[in-house]
Amino acid sequence: MQQPIRLAPSILSADFAKLGEEVRAMAAAGADYIHVDVMDGHFVPNLTIGPAVVRALRPHTDKPLDVHLMISPVDPFVREFAEAGADILTVHPEAGPHVHRTIQLIKSLGKKAGVSINPGTPVEAVDPVLDMVDLVLVMSVNPGFGGQSFLDGAIEKLKRLRARIDATGRTIDLQVDGGINDTTAPLARAAGADVLVAGTAGFVGGPARYADNLRRLRGG
Ligand code: DX5
Ligand code: ZN
């Protein structure tokens, strides 16, 4: 069953020179999760942040740190991100041969586990691990950069995953990431998404705008 809407602003679009303040401002503005995009310049064509940044941000908020790992290999870094204070660790099956093992590892560390699929990956890729995960993330852009346009194919995937998740009878967040704005947020929501990630649309205009940005994304 679709859950109440939650928003996960991606700090990829924050001011990196003041990340702690940015996270506090976004939490005060009503963010539900703080989305942290981890990129390795190998699985995706961009480099961002590592566990040290997650550790540094942890004291700045009680909100769940929703860490999106776009790295390959991923297993050698899972424990470090978990110990740094991540609450949710989301991984890509395209990043390696053993997504089931990776999710076992995340769960063994007491963290929530997510599985994410790229625009070129069929929804069936999540089936073997659907009984283990707490979150399924549909990428609505090719991962690597903020500010890209929403790919319409994500809508059909969300609908199909909504049905698959509902059939499990388990509570699993259906999350969508990439190109979410005032126009695409309602479409993603109508297709069954529970959690909307927003980088550009969350952080545009600076801290004075955050509450209003989130309100519009919520459809309020
Ligand atoms: C893309 C990242 C996204 C990104 C979204 O690889 O996973 O989380 O920050 O940025 P926007 O909302 O600007 O598309
Ligand atoms: Zn992301």
Side-chain angles (χ1 to χ4, degrees):
M1 205 175 76
Q2 191 173 23
Q3 303 170 65
I5 189 168
R6 272 146 303 139
L7 298 178
S10 165
I11 60 167
L12 192 58
S13 297
D15 181 344
F16 271 43
K18 31 180 150 168
L19 274 184
E21 280 170 57
E22 289 278 65
V23 164
R24 287 202 305 274
M26 209 30 112
D32 298 286
Y33 298 165
I34 301 297
H35 187 83
V36 181
D37 284 309
V38 177
M39 305 185 184
D40 67 352
H42 167 71
F43 179 61
V44 291
N46 194 7
L47 275 173
T48 57
I49 65 181
V53 175
V54 172
R55 188 174 296 108
L57 288 176
R58 183 67 281 178
H60 289 272
T61 186
D62 295 332
K63 301 288 180 190
L65 294 177
D66 169 30
V67 178
H68 179 189
L69 296 173
M70 289 163 274
I71 62 176
S72 175
V74 61
D75 290 8
F77 299 99
V78 164
R79 177 177 289 276
E80 216 178 326
F81 278 103
E83 290 176 353
D87 297 285
I88 306 165
L89 288 164
T90 295
V91 297
H92 281 257
E94 308 92 343
H98 297 299
V99 69
H100 188 283
R101 172 184 285 149
T102 306
I103 290 167
Q104 282 180 320
L105 173 61
I106 295 168
K107 298 301 290 182
S108 76
L109 295 166
K111 302 299 181 178
K112 292 192 170 175
V115 62
S116 177
I117 52 167
N118 282 334
T121 303
V123 297
E124 289 77 9
V126 309
D127 286 349
V129 294
L130 202 55
D131 62 338
M132 306 165 74
V133 296
D134 304 286
L135 180 150
V136 174
L137 167 55
V138 173
M139 288 306 302
S140 40
V141 297
N142 283 297
F145 302 96
Q148 303 181 76
S149 296
F150 187 89
L151 296 169
D152 293 333
I155 295 295
E156 188 58 31
K157 283 186 173 177
L158 287 169
K159 289 181 183 166
R160 293 179 62 197
L161 283 162
R162 178 79 266 155
R164 279 173 150 72
I165 287 170
D166 290 350
T168 69
R170 297 178 59 238
T171 301
I172 300 172
D173 281 352
L174 181 55
Q175 187 177 60
V176 60
D177 182 3
I180 293 293
N181 56 34
D182 298 356
T183 306
T184 55
L187 304 177
R189 183 70 183 146
D194 303 303
V195 184
L196 311 182
V197 176
T200 307
F203 283 89
V204 67
R209 305 296 306 159
Y210 294 167
D212 197 48
N213 293 347
L214 298 187
R215 182 186 55 72
R216 281 184 285 106
L217 289 169
R218 260 184 231 281

